[in-house]
Amino acid sequence: MLYAGLLTAVFYLTFDCSRGDEINQLNETITSKVSSDTRIFCNYSLSNSADNAYLFWYKQTPGSYPRYLLHRMKGSTDEFRSDETEARFSSQLDTSQKMTSLTIVNTQLGDSAVYLCALSTTVLSLHYCLLQ
């Protein structure tokens, strides 16, 4: 239940990739005060030491599809984000602890949602070749 001045976010994703890779959210529900900072954590494990692990964050509001927020890539300090993602949202990646986190600065009631973390060891890109 949401009370004035509080944010409630529900988390419920455990994802097992076919290669034995895994990601788990640490908290099922987090309640934060408006204007405070909120941090959400996920642990991950890889079946090999893949250098190309991508850790994604999504936000899902009631009645809508998950919306991509941002992601980080193992081995990079860069953060990649949707053009629509507010600067208040950021992610961290700790490869030694095999943990990723999403931080929401100055949390607002409108941030109430289901937040999903996801792991991929492959990111597809399409290449077009014009044959004559």
Side-chain angles (χ1 to χ4, degrees):
M1 173 176 263
L2 255 180
Y3 297 97
L6 292 178
L7 162 81
T8 301
V10 179
F11 311 96
Y12 63 85
L13 179 69
T14 298
F15 184 70
D16 293 315
C17 302
S18 59
R19 294 150 92 164
D21 302 330
E22 193 174 311
I23 190 161
N24 297 292
Q25 290 181 314
L26 300 180
N27 303 91
E28 191 171 301
T29 303
I30 293 177
T31 302
S32 296
K33 292 183 179 181
V34 168
S35 299
S36 67
D37 295 350
T38 303
R39 199 155 181 206
I40 307 162
F41 295 92
C42 285
N43 285 335
Y44 69 92
S45 63
L46 301 170
S47 58
N48 59 32
S49 61
D51 288 331
N52 60 340
Y54 301 86
L55 293 121
F56 297 86
W57 285 97
Y58 295 85
K59 176 182 179 180
Q60 185 174 17
T61 55
S64 68
Y65 295 103
R67 185 176 58 90
Y68 165 74
L69 293 173
L70 45 83
H71 77 275
R72 287 197 176 265
M73 182 177 74
K74 181 181 168 191
S76 173
T77 58
D78 295 331
E79 178 179 79
F80 305 92
R81 61 181 46 241
S82 163
D83 292 339
E84 298 172 3
T85 301
E86 296 178 52
R88 298 182 304 111
F89 291 79
S90 64
S91 67
Q92 297 75 37
L93 177 59
D94 183 340
T95 56
S96 65
Q97 297 293 316
K98 295 187 177 181
M99 181 180 296
T100 183
S101 62
L102 176 69
T103 301
I104 307 170
V105 176
N106 189 24
T107 303
Q108 303 299 309
L109 282 174
D111 297 330
S112 296
V114 174
Y115 289 86
L116 307 168
C117 56
L119 167 69
S120 175
T121 53
T122 59
V123 171
L124 301 176
S125 61
L126 299 175
H127 298 277
Y128 295 95
C129 180
L130 178 60
L131 300 176
Q132 297 183 27

